[in-house]
């Protein structure tokens, strides 16, 4: 079969499509901002900062100075130190809470979408119950019984995120599980665990990660809102949300006290969204094909 | 004067890998009441060419050349005039009737919308005409169908409905882009018959775009074979099948499994793949896969021109001799 | 019910298989009592229109859809009675190739891993051994192993992806492959390449094939025998040449007539096919083809026709077979 020999050569030497994509300036700016914020937050105790909870009643709402670079707040605490220590709290809650949602919601969604049947009904039903429960009441109830602390706050926000992650994972799994490559694996005699981990998970994880980054942004904002309502971190500890809340009292005399943490929050959330979108576009193999 | 004349049309699409020349200097013409078959494999530019006629190219695409339809150049027509022309004088039937019909509107709404838009009929008249059309395309119980949604119909039924919508305003030209590729072979025969019957009755011109030479063999007056964006052979159907000159046409026909051949006969496959459209070859695009190719084929592009017969054009330096018996 | 052609014990014996599944609150009668045999080394073509249950039958053979009743005997063992580990072991001897080659490759895994996957599942621990076998099988299907192993599926064309799928199905040295419309999604020129490749692989690896397609000419090109299916039942089974030359079932005749012939002198017969297949949710009584059959009468709606031998090796299920 001469034709086949020829085709072997041709097919083998044909250079498959390769893709190149530029990441853009915005992506790098956003990444740089996140890197700086993360570094500051992690290294905060080592930095030559003033104690964020030391009050100086003589220097309330002081302006920018060489001693207090960003001035002081209503109780005379160093604003820069509070911002950086606040970032620690906001980022801890903002990253860990969606991770709880990602792990539990993702796993439940993957299993529900793959096994279907009664298990799926049970998972979807219980998630609907969780969704129907007013989140604020839930947060109030937990903090009332267990007390106000960062771990409690993280768990509350994490649990509230589970239904959404479950839905994203289940929807992705439902469409993927019908694809031929999954049936092919089944036909090869692959175990359920192998199909879940090798065939489905790598495909489901991307929409989940993109959703995770959105979740980070949302959680930071929600933590701010809860702190603003007095349900967040216990004072005198700083978080961006609680700082905005405290700055509200002096909006007319020192608007920067609310504006600075708000700007930090805004830029960080924006950066997470930008990086998230770019990462998703970058790792989608279908987009690269001609 | 022909109804449709495509003059020196080229379509370029910018891609991340460079410019993709989807259609490369194509000339075609079609008289009223005649059928032109455009045959080629996926990626040969046949669909882009039809989009160029309809002026429905992607926004980024660059079109050069002229598309003269009924005395006007469609390329230079403003969008309002074009919109009036499309659907009324120029109609199209796509490959997948599921995606070309709107899933949330009833069949009646979609049919009557087109009719009312272009023919300025009142609701009752449009409804009567819709029923008449559905009956004409062979749909049983047309009145009841009007209230149904596309997903309630089978693939063949949906394609009939798409044809009814295309025919609703008595177009002068119908472009059928792979109208039967998504359908079963028995339904394919019915749809092709339907198209041929309606064409004769309405004296409209038709372009059938397909990858299957078998589809155009008995149904087109003229066939144009496309490869890598260019028309490589064009002739009246009987002449093309009797005395094909272009090795690609021959190879394409030979690669189709035939009912006459005994089982387990190796098929004369065309080796390799079509060239990368973003990396045009200097010579003939088919040369790397052609068994007749010589040194010249890799150096220069053969022009599409006629030899013995004035209406039989081909682009080849080493045409298949006329005496050779080709085909099945 | 049906005797074997001339050969010995069949490798695959499907016995009165019934597959039904729910769709909303309705039941789809996808396969309603199909019996067929495939001898070792043979290619059986299975043709029919979309929705006739041919793909479901193919998947039921591999137990990807469980049968409601009936048996699937592979090399004498009943697959329908198997569960868990025994079934997984058996599946390594039976493989499946799909219609959409691109969708049947995981978009996020490299070609080398995809083709090695069956070996890992089968418990081949030695990485060098796996690499060696992947290399061999990729070369066998006409791809350069060093060039393709590290790449992702989207970098390849449909034809190349189908070669990769064939490589994956061959890497465990199976005995039987179900090809579910393997060339329907491919262009004419690539289609011929893949059909030739399948034939070559069949000879080289000593395979037995169940070749499912809707295109009669494609089926004839590769099959020793052909089975024609309509709405969940078999209409006709017979040796390819004989069945195509002298179809006994009116449906086979209709399918043959509907094929477009690439010859302008052959005028297409006007409207050979009457109507469309009814829904498998509520199939007609008696002979399921009777609603479209020009020869149908009272008896066809009352009595289900059995497969009967109409010529040596050729069986048809029809009360009024074509002469």
């Amino acid at each position: 079969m001469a034709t086949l020999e020829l085709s072997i050569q041709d097919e083998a030497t044909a250079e498959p499509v390769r893709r190149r994509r530029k990441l853009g300036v915005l992506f790098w700016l956003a990444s740089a901002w996140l890197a700086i914020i993360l570094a500051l937050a992690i290294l905060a105790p080592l930095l030559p900062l003033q104690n964020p909870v030391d009050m100086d009643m003589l220097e309330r709402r002081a302006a920018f100075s060489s001693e207090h670079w960003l001035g002081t707040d209503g109780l005379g605490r160093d604003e820069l130190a509070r911002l950086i220590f606040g970032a620690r709290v906001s980022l801890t809650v903002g990253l860990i809470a969606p991770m709880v949602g990602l792990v539990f919601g993702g796993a439940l969604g993957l299993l529900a979408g793959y096994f279907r049947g009664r298990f799926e009904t049970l998972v979807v039903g219980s998630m609907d119950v969780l969704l129907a429960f007013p989140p604020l009441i839930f947060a109030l109830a937990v903090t009332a019984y267990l007390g106000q602390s960062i771990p409690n706050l993280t768990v509350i926000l994490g649990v509230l995120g589970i239904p959404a992650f479950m839905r994203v994972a289940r929807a992705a799994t439902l469409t993927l599980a019908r694809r031929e490559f999954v049936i092919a694996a089944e036909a090869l005699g692959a175990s359920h665990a192998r199909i879940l981990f090798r065939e489905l998970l790598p495909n489901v994880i991307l929409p989940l990660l993109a959703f995770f980054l959105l979740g980070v942004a949302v959680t930071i904002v929600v933590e701010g809102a809860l702190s603003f309502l007095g349900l967040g971190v216990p004072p005198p500890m700083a978080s961006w949300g609680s700082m905005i809340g405290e700055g509200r009292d002096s909006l007319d005399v020192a608007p920067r006290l609310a504006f600075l943490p708000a700007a930090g929050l805004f830029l960080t959330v924006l950066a997470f969204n930008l990086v998230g979108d770019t990462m998703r576009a970058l790792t989608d193999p279908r987009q690269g094909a001609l | 004067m022909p109804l449709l004349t495509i003059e020196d049309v080229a379509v370029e699409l910018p891609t991340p890998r460079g410019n993709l020349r989807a259609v490369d200097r194509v000339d075609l013409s079609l008289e009223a009441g005649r059928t032109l078959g455009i045959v080629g494999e996926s990626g040969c530019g046949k669909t882009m060419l039809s989009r160029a006629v309809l002026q429905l190219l992607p926004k980024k695409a660059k079109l050069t050349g002229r598309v003269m339809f009924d005395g006007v150049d469609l390329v230079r027509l403003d969008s309002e005039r074009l919109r009036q022309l499309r659907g009324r004088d120029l109609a199209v039937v796509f490959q997948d009737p599921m995606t070309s019909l709107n899933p949330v509107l009833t069949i009646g709404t979609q049919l009557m919308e087109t009719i009312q838009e272009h023919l300025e009929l009142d609701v009752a008249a449009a409804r009567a005409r819709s029923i008449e059309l559905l009956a004409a395309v062979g749909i049983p119980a047309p009145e009841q169908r009007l209230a149904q949604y596309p997903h309630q119909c089978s693939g063949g039924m949906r394609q009939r409905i798409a044809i009814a919508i295309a025919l609703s305003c008595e177009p002068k030209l119908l472009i059928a882009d792979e109208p039967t590729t998504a359908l079963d072979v028995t339904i394919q025969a019915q749809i092709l018959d339907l198209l041929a019957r309606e064409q004769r009755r309405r004296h409209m011109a038709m372009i059938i775009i397909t990858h299957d030479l078998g589809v155009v063999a008995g149904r087109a007056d003229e066939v144009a074979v496309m490869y890598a964006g260019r028309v490589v052979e064009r002739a009246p159907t009987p002449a093309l099948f009797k005395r094909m000159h272009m090795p690609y046409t021959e190879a394409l026909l030979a690669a189709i499994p035939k009912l006459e051949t005994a089982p387990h006969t190796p098929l004369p496959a065309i080796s390799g793949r079509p060239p990368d459209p973003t990396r045009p070859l200097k010579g003939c695009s088919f040369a790397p896969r052609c068994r007749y190719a010589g040194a010249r084929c890799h150096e220069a592009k053969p022009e599409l021109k006629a030899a013995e017969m004035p209406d039989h054009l081909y682009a080849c330096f080493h045409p298949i001799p006329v005496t050779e018996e080709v085909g099945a | 019910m049906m005797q074997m052609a001339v050969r010995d014990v069949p490798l695959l014996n499907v016995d009165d298989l019934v597959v039904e599944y729910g769709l909303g609150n309705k039941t789809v009668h996808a396969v309603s009592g199909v019996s067929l045999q495939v001898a070792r080394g043979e290619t059986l073509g299975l043709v029919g229109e979309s929705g006739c249950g041919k793909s479901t039958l193919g998947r039921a053979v591999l137990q990807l859809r469980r049968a409601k009743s009936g048996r699937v005997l592979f090399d004498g063992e009943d697959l329908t009675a198997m569960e868990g580990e025994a079934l997984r072991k058996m599946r390594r001897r039976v493989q499946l190739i799909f219609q959409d080659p691109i969708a049947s490759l995981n978009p996020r895994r490299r070609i080398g891993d995809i083709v090695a996957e069956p070996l890992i599942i089968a418990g081949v621990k030695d990485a060098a051994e796996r690499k060696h076998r992947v290399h061999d099988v990729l070369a066998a299907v006409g791809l350069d192993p060093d060039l393709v192993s590290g790449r992702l599926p989207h970098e390849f064309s449909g034809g190349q992806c189908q070669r990769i799928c064939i490589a994956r199905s061959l890497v465990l040295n199976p005995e039987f492959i179900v090809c579910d419309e393997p060339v329907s999604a491919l262009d004419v020129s690539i289609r011929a390449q893949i059909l030739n490749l399948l034939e070559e692989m069949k000879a080289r690896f000593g395979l037995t094939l169940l070749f499912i397609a809707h295109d009669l000419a494609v089926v004839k090109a590769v099959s020793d025998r052909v089975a024609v299916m309509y709405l969940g039942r078999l209409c006709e089974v017979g040796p390819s040449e004989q069945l195509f030359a002298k179809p006994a079932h009116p449906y086979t005749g209709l399918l043959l007539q509907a094929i477009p012939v690439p010859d302008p002198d052959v005028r297409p017969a006007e409207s050979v096919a009457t109507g469309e297949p009814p829904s498998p949710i509520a199939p007609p009584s008696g002979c399921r083809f009777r609603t479209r059959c020009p020869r149908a009468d009272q008896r066809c709606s009352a009595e289900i026709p059995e497969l009967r031998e109409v010529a040596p090796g050729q069986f048809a299920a029809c009360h009024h077979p074509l002469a």
Side-chain angles (χ1 to χ4, degrees):
Chain A
M1 248 191 290
T3 51
L4 198 72
E5 301 312 325
L6 243 180
S7 77
I8 288 172
Q9 248 182 8
D10 284 5
E11 295 263 332
T13 49
E15 185 67 18
V17 189
R18 279 267 149 185
R19 68 207 150 107
R20 290 242 177 282
R21 217 184 269 109
K22 280 202 181 139
L23 291 170
V25 186
L26 272 177
F27 172 79
W28 291 115
L29 278 177
S31 310
W33 172 260
L34 289 180
I36 290 169
I37 292 288
L38 273 173
L40 284 175
I42 292 165
L43 301 174
L46 305 177
L47 295 174
L49 291 167
Q50 301 179 15
N51 191 329
V53 293
D54 269 3
M55 289 183 268
D56 185 349
M57 284 306 176
L58 298 175
E59 293 229 41
R60 292 168 62 189
R61 294 183 198 120
F64 301 160
S65 66
S66 57
E67 198 189 340
H68 302 289
W69 288 5
L70 293 178
T72 59
D73 72 354
L75 294 171
R77 294 172 294 198
D78 184 65
E79 186 73 3
L80 179 67
R82 283 186 72 75
L83 265 180
I84 290 172
F85 277 92
R88 268 170 91 84
V89 174
S90 289
L91 287 179
T92 310
V93 176
L95 287 172
I96 294 178
M99 226 173 271
V100 171
L102 176 77
V103 170
F104 290 97
L108 281 174
L110 192 66
L111 294 172
Y114 180 64
F115 287 111
R116 310 293 310 268
R118 228 173 288 163
F119 177 72
E120 187 187 23
T121 317
L122 185 76
V123 169
V124 174
S126 49
M127 289 299 129
D128 284 345
V129 171
L130 194 55
L131 271 180
F133 204 81
L136 263 182
I137 309 284
F138 178 69
L140 260 176
V142 175
T143 43
Y145 280 101
L146 300 177
Q148 232 173 320
S149 73
I150 297 181
N152 286 353
L153 183 65
T154 311
V155 169
I156 292 168
L157 292 176
V159 169
L160 286 174
I162 290 178
F165 278 100
M166 191 283 291
R167 279 176 184 270
V168 171
R170 177 171 154 265
T173 311
L174 279 180
T175 45
L176 283 165
R178 275 199 299 265
R179 290 277 291 272
E180 280 92 338
F181 69 84
V182 177
I183 303 171
E186 200 183 332
L188 286 169
S191 60
H192 289 313
R194 193 157 183 94
I195 292 176
L196 282 166
F197 282 108
R198 304 292 291 209
E199 309 294 342
L200 290 171
L201 189 61
N203 288 288
V204 173
I205 200 77
L206 280 160
L208 274 181
L209 280 180
F211 193 73
F212 170 77
L213 287 173
L214 290 178
V216 171
V218 171
T219 312
I220 293 177
V221 174
V222 171
E223 183 273 327
L226 284 177
S227 297
F228 184 87
L229 291 172
L231 290 172
V233 290
M237 206 188 274
S239 87
W240 288 349
S242 63
M243 288 173 74
I244 299 173
E246 288 160 13
R248 184 182 53 149
D249 302 333
S250 48
L251 266 181
D252 43 350
V253 277
R256 65 184 155 79
L257 291 185
F259 178 73
L260 281 173
L265 190 73
F266 170 75
L267 286 176
T268 307
V269 169
L270 187 68
F272 268 116
N273 282 333
L274 271 173
V275 172
D277 279 349
T278 313
M279 298 284 272
R280 190 183 43 200
L282 202 69
T283 46
D284 189 350
R286 279 158 297 253
Q287 281 198 343
L290 196 76
Chain B
M1 197 186 71
L3 176 72
L4 175 77
T5 321
I6 297 170
E7 290 171 28
D8 205 26
V9 162
V11 177
E12 284 203 349
L13 290 162
T15 70
R17 314 191 56 230
N19 263 357
L20 187 156
R21 209 170 172 82
V23 179
D24 191 6
R25 304 189 55 200
V26 167
D27 292 282
L28 285 172
S29 69
L30 180 62
E31 306 273 345
R34 309 267 295 169
T35 303
L36 170 69
I38 299 180
V39 182
E41 295 177 80
S42 56
C44 75
K46 56 192 196 296
T47 295
M48 272 303 157
L49 181 63
S50 75
R51 295 280 161 90
V53 173
L54 289 159
Q55 294 291 307
L56 284 175
L57 289 166
K59 283 211 167 54
K60 282 186 289 182
K62 271 207 303 284
L63 169 71
T64 54
R66 293 208 302 171
V67 179
M68 300 297 292
F69 176 73
D70 213 11
V72 287
D73 185 357
L74 297 183
V75 180
R76 271 152 205 85
L77 216 56
D78 64 78
S79 54
E80 185 55 25
R81 288 274 313 279
L82 252 177
R83 204 180 55 76
Q84 284 170 358
L85 212 62
R86 281 200 293 256
R88 184 170 182 149
D89 292 338
L90 253 175
V92 63
V93 175
F94 293 103
Q95 172 176 343
D96 188 349
M98 194 62 223
T99 51
S100 61
L101 294 174
N102 189 335
V104 298
L105 295 179
T106 63
I107 290 150
T109 313
Q110 297 187 51
L111 248 172
M112 282 154 68
E113 218 167 54
T114 321
I115 295 172
Q116 284 182 294
E117 165 109 30
H118 293 288
L119 297 184
E120 286 159 14
L121 294 174
D122 60 37
V123 177
R127 195 184 147 79
R129 187 156 165 74
S130 303
I131 293 169
E132 189 188 314
L133 273 164
L134 288 182
V137 295
I139 290 179
E143 281 110 298
Q144 278 122 59
R145 285 282 172 192
L146 285 182
Q148 289 189 336
Y149 291 91
H151 68 88
Q152 292 170 294
C153 307
S154 69
M157 279 298 160
R158 284 197 291 262
Q159 196 60 295
R160 282 173 197 274
I161 292 158
I163 292 171
I165 293 176
L167 295 174
S168 61
C169 301
E170 305 283 337
K172 290 178 182 152
L173 172 65
L174 178 71
I175 297 178
D177 188 354
E178 302 260 8
T180 58
T181 306
L183 303 175
D184 271 311
V185 66
T186 54
I187 312 297
Q188 163 170 304
Q190 296 175 33
I191 295 290
L192 291 172
D193 285 344
L194 168 71
L195 283 172
R197 194 179 69 225
E198 292 303 312
Q199 180 200 19
R200 274 197 303 277
R201 212 162 78 187
R202 292 157 201 270
H203 195 66
M204 68 185 178
M206 183 156 78
I207 297 178
I208 298 182
I209 295 165
T210 174
H211 67 273
D212 188 349
L213 274 167
V215 165
V216 295
R219 294 180 162 94
D221 299 302
E222 197 183 19
V223 176
V225 179
M226 283 186 78
Y227 186 76
R230 283 160 59 100
V231 172
V232 292
E233 183 158 18
R234 186 181 134 200
T237 313
L240 183 91
F241 281 91
K242 290 254 157 41
R243 295 182 297 275
M244 47 186 63
H245 291 301
M246 177 66 197
Y248 176 63
T249 317
E250 182 199 45
L252 200 57
L253 188 62
I256 302 174
K258 309 286 182 307
L259 277 178
E260 296 81 35
T261 27
H264 306 300
T265 314
L267 288 161
I270 313 176
S271 63
R273 294 191 294 152
D276 181 346
T278 59
R279 307 270 183 280
L281 302 176
K282 194 164 82 171
C284 170
S285 315
F286 187 58
R289 304 171 78 185
C290 181
R291 59 188 175 118
Y292 303 100
R296 196 175 154 210
C297 301
H298 295 279
E299 289 306 312
K301 268 208 193 320
E303 288 293 313
L304 182 70
K305 57 179 191 292
E308 307 85 34
M309 308 289 284
D311 54 357
H312 192 147
L313 299 107
Y314 55 90
C316 186
F317 292 127
H318 304 287
I320 305 158
V322 177
T323 45
E324 195 185 325
E325 200 52 48
V326 290
Chain C
M1 204 161 49
M2 205 185 91
Q3 292 85 44
M4 267 311 301
V6 255
R7 295 169 214 246
D8 48 342
V9 184
L11 181 63
L12 178 78
N13 187 352
V14 176
D15 184 20
D16 201 21
L17 193 73
V18 177
V19 185
E20 290 174 2
Y21 53 90
L23 190 77
N25 50 5
K26 300 185 184 93
T27 305
V28 178
H29 302 266
V31 179
S32 309
V34 167
S35 299
L36 49 83
Q37 288 80 24
V38 189
R40 202 176 279 278
E42 183 186 45
T43 301
L44 177 71
L46 184 61
V47 260
E49 291 171 273
S50 52
C52 75
K54 56 189 193 298
S55 288
T56 309
L57 178 62
R59 284 169 195 212
V61 166
L62 277 89
Q63 304 304 310
L64 291 170
R65 273 214 191 272
R66 300 312 286 251
K68 186 170 171 253
S69 67
R71 295 190 306 164
V72 176
L73 295 170
F74 182 77
D75 206 9
E77 294 185 66
D78 188 357
L79 297 186
T80 50
M82 283 187 186
E83 294 276 345
E85 193 53 30
L87 183 60
R88 270 204 281 279
K89 280 229 168 66
M90 206 53 161
R91 273 184 181 159
R92 284 157 206 169
R93 299 171 64 189
V94 190
Q95 287 299 313
L96 180 61
I97 299 172
F98 297 90
Q99 171 172 4
D100 186 343
I102 296 165
S104 43
L105 300 174
N106 188 337
R108 303 213 166 268
R109 302 191 66 191
R110 303 196 178 278
I111 303 306
D113 295 336
I114 291 175
V115 179
E117 182 74 12
L119 295 169
I120 296 171
I121 293 169
V124 178
K125 296 271 189 302
D126 183 359
E129 152 94 19
R130 285 203 303 259
K131 193 158 187 256
H132 181 70
R133 282 171 71 173
V134 168
H135 192 282
D136 283 355
V137 78
L138 279 173
V141 298
L143 295 166
D144 183 332
D146 301 318
L147 260 176
V148 303
S149 292
R151 297 185 193 274
L152 291 169
H154 73 86
E155 298 177 55
F156 296 91
S157 68
Q160 288 171 317
C161 281
Q162 197 58 291
R163 283 176 195 269
I164 294 164
C165 291
I166 292 173
R168 173 176 59 185
S169 67
L170 290 174
V171 76
L172 282 177
N173 284 322
E175 293 153 64
F176 188 86
I177 299 185
V178 176
C179 308
D180 189 358
E181 305 249 14
V183 296
S184 303
L186 304 175
D187 265 315
V188 180
S189 67
I190 310 298
R191 181 179 298 182
Q193 290 176 11
I194 296 295
L195 286 175
N196 286 343
L197 176 69
L198 276 174
E199 287 278 87
E200 203 193 62
M201 293 300 115
K202 187 193 162 195
R204 184 157 157 190
F205 293 88
L207 300 168
T208 305
L209 302 182
L210 177 63
F211 190 95
I212 302 170
H214 66 269
D215 186 331
L216 283 162
V218 166
V219 163
K220 189 183 175 192
V222 295
S223 306
D224 301 300
R225 287 192 308 134
V226 173
V228 182
M229 206 168 161
Y230 184 79
L231 222 61
R233 291 229 182 93
L234 282 187
C235 297
E236 188 165 6
V237 189
S240 314
E241 293 263 33
Q242 198 176 322
L243 186 111
F244 283 85
K246 275 191 180 165
H249 198 285
Y251 180 60
T252 316
L254 179 101
L255 282 178
L256 283 169
Q257 260 182 298
I259 299 176
V261 186
D263 182 348
D265 293 339
V266 182
R267 273 279 143 196
E270 273 283 318
S271 286
V272 279
T274 43
E276 300 190 9
S279 159
I281 291 169
S285 65
C287 172
R288 292 191 171 176
F289 183 58
R290 69 178 163 83
T291 53
R292 297 170 79 189
C293 184
R295 303 165 86 92
D297 64 7
Q298 287 277 300
R299 190 178 163 207
C300 299
S301 62
E303 196 183 321
I304 299 172
E306 296 281 317
L307 272 179
R308 284 179 296 114
E309 190 156 20
V310 289
Q314 189 179 359
F315 300 80
C318 184
H319 296 305
H320 311 285
L322 304 169

